[in-house]
Amino acid sequence: MNKIKWGIIGLGKIAHKFANDLLLLEDIELEAVASRDISKAASFSKKYYANKHYGSYLELIQDKNVKIIYIATPNNLHQSITVLALQHKKAVLCEKPFAINKTQVLSMIDASKENNTFLMEALWTRFMPAMVEIKKRIDTGEIGELKYINADFAFKAPLTIQRVHDKSLGGGSLLDIGIYPIFLSYFLLGNPIKIMASATYFDSGVDSQLAMIFNYKNAQALLFSSFNSSSKRVAKISGTLGEIIINNPWNETVCFTLTKDEKKQKFEYQKLGKGYTHEIIECNKCLNNGKIESNLWSHNHSIELISLLDLVRKEINLTYFED
């Protein structure tokens, strides 16, 4: 079996989780990792059995053995590194948010098409077995017509975590964690006809806490994100015939409860490892089939999602240097 050789750029906390999951799959090989801190790259490489490590992102991108690169840098670097990698014919799985704004996302997708090279946003929740099953049940009308979604993502974040509040890094709760409840609303209900939003802010100007209402023709979604306090991270999906409660933490759950006709059923769909495995499997499948995008989370899905983030930012008057 020919193993797909992966590279990882940006070796922070999420990259450690991703690398752990990567090792669980038989059809991959961690070829190289890169950090601007060479000692960090060396340590990471040793821990996760990478074949090579680099002290610059460009060196990894130029590695002829690397087939696909997982990009887990701060948000402000997503677009530039992705485009550079695609120009070198490297497939890319880039962490969410795909980029800071729609203009950047469009440039990334253009680079994917121009170089006929695979590109996908790493929205891992989309590929979780439980989420796939929830979507299937809703699409088949099991809980009737959707009327209401309530989803949040909040935790008390220490200000020592720079990416949380640093505007130059694309900080703020919206891009970091607010994207999850927005994704759920978009995934199940599509694009809203109206968005209302209100936020509180860090001294840097990025949002520390954010409340949103997405209005649809016949439904509403109440969404929330915050770095100021913790939430239960339970999502509620209500339809005319029943409701689904996605257990904590809903964005990576293995369990949900469906209530219909006063009957409550609990369903469990186990994931492999932390759950990044499922988006990795999708990437490998697309590469083996010569595709430049996934049908499950396509380029257009990413365009529409970032468009929603841009609209929310407009509502709360939040701009970044990239705008």
Side-chain angles (χ1 to χ4, degrees):
M1 178 173 57
N2 292 323
K3 293 189 175 184
I4 294 176
K5 296 180 182 293
W6 282 73
I8 299 178
I9 287 179
L11 306 180
K13 185 177 179 181
I14 195 169
H16 283 270
K17 296 177 182 178
F18 185 89
N20 261 322
D21 273 10
L22 205 63
L23 295 179
L24 298 176
L25 299 170
E26 294 182 353
D27 59 344
I28 67 94
E29 186 172 353
L30 183 52
E31 180 66 20
V33 299
S35 169
R36 287 177 293 194
D37 180 344
I38 188 67
S39 62
K40 187 175 183 180
S43 174
F44 193 101
S45 176
K46 182 179 180 181
K47 184 174 182 179
Y48 298 106
Y49 310 103
N51 294 330
K52 284 165 279 187
H53 64 274
Y54 297 108
S56 78
Y57 302 154
L58 181 59
E59 285 181 288
L60 186 147
I61 289 171
Q62 292 176 330
D63 187 319
K64 294 181 180 179
N65 291 328
V66 172
K67 174 71 174 179
I68 179 169
I69 300 171
Y70 170 62
I71 297 173
T73 61
N75 300 337
N76 63 307
L77 297 177
H78 287 182
Q79 186 261 356
S80 59
I81 299 173
T82 293
V83 170
L84 184 62
L86 291 167
Q87 289 172 342
H88 283 77
K89 306 295 185 181
K90 303 300 185 187
V92 172
L93 173 65
C94 180
E95 257 309 325
K96 56 85 206 150
F98 221 9
I100 300 295
N101 55 38
K102 182 179 178 180
T103 300
Q104 288 193 328
V105 168
L106 289 175
S107 73
M108 295 157 70
I109 292 170
D110 284 345
S112 169
K113 292 177 179 177
E114 289 167 5
N115 293 281
N116 195 35
T117 303
F118 177 79
L119 170 67
M120 191 177 86
E121 182 177 13
L123 212 92
W124 67 321
T125 302
R126 166 63 183 94
F127 303 95
M128 295 285 181
M131 188 61 65
V132 171
E133 182 63 22
I134 288 166
K135 173 70 168 168
K136 187 187 303 180
R137 289 174 181 270
I138 289 172
D139 286 349
T140 56
E142 192 157 346
I143 62 169
E145 182 183 356
L146 289 197
K147 292 296 183 181
Y148 174 66
I149 293 173
N150 180 207
D152 61 31
F153 195 138
F155 64 92
K156 178 64 175 172
L159 291 181
T160 51
I161 305 176
Q162 193 175 5
R163 67 172 174 80
V164 163
H165 58 84
D166 192 329
K167 194 169 190 176
S168 68
L169 298 180
S173 81
L174 171 64
L175 296 188
D176 196 282
I177 54 178
I179 188 173
Y180 283 110
I182 291 174
F183 155 77
L184 186 66
S185 184
Y186 167 71
F187 186 50
L188 299 179
L189 285 170
N191 287 308
I193 56 176
K194 183 180 180 181
I195 290 174
M196 294 180 284
S198 180
T200 63
Y201 305 87
F202 290 117
D203 290 340
S204 64
V206 300
D207 64 299
S208 61
Q209 181 167 301
L210 174 64
M212 299 164 277
I213 299 176
F214 280 23
N215 280 303
Y216 296 83
K217 184 178 179 181
N218 295 307
Q220 289 181 307
L222 183 60
L223 315 171
F224 178 75
S225 63
S226 177
F227 285 136
N228 294 333
S229 60
S230 297
S231 68
K232 290 183 177 179
R233 283 168 65 188
V234 172
K236 180 178 181 180
I237 305 162
S238 298
T240 53
L241 299 178
E243 71 174 16
I244 290 173
I245 304 295
I246 313 178
N247 289 22
N248 167 283
W250 71 262
N251 65 301
E252 53 181 287
T253 192
V254 298
C255 180
F256 64 90
T257 302
L258 191 154
T259 303
K260 184 177 180 181
D261 299 327
E262 299 184 356
K263 181 182 178 182
K264 184 180 290 187
Q265 291 179 281
K266 184 177 180 181
F267 299 92
E268 289 192 24
Y269 294 85
Q270 293 301 319
K271 58 190 178 185
L272 178 61
K274 180 71 173 173
Y276 296 98
T277 46
H278 303 288
E279 65 180 359
I280 296 169
I281 289 168
E282 175 64 13
C283 289
N284 290 352
K285 188 183 300 181
C286 289
L287 290 176
N288 285 327
N289 290 324
K291 299 175 68 173
I292 69 166
E293 64 179 310
S294 164
N295 292 334
L296 299 180
W297 191 251
S298 67
H299 292 170
N300 190 61
H301 288 137
S302 290
I303 291 170
E304 293 193 335
L305 183 59
I306 195 67
S307 297
L308 293 177
L309 297 178
D310 284 357
L311 287 171
V312 171
R313 288 208 288 120
K314 187 176 180 180
E315 279 290 302
I316 62 173
N317 297 314
L318 172 58
T319 60
Y320 289 96
F321 305 115
E322 290 79 5
D323 296 326

